[in-house]
Amino acid sequence: MDVDREAGGRAMLAGLLDAGNLMPLDELPKKTGELALSAGFTEVRIYVADLERHALHLLTGPDAAAPPDSEPVRGRFSRGGGDTRAE
């Protein structure tokens, strides 16, 4: 991996952790996009699990529609590293 890109990725993650606890969830995609550009990433997707942990859903911003290829990822997803098989 490119050293500059790895450092940029770490800076992006640190920025998200700093801002994340004060930011509404619907602002997360926009903030992630801003930080991703400065880290050299051209595309970032965020998936969140439903409450029953049966599917992962693409998180889009308030003004953005999900792209046509963004079907939910279905499977069983655990919190502690157990069964994480996706269908």
Side-chain angles (χ1 to χ4, degrees), residues 12-77:
M12 180 181 84
L13 181 56
L16 286 172
L17 290 172
D18 274 348
N21 63 343
L22 302 174
M23 175 177 26
L25 185 61
D26 61 348
E27 291 183 22
L28 183 61
K30 180 181 176 187
K31 183 66 172 178
T32 302
E34 292 169 2
L35 292 168
L37 283 176
S38 66
F41 294 98
T42 56
E43 181 179 358
V44 176
R45 292 187 179 188
I46 302 168
Y47 287 84
V48 294
D50 60 21
L51 293 175
E52 292 85 25
R53 297 190 301 256
H54 293 292
L56 297 174
H57 301 272
L58 181 63
L59 181 64
T60 61
D63 299 328
D69 66 339
S70 66
E71 292 293 318
V73 178
R74 303 212 180 274
R76 267 183 71 199
F77 306 96

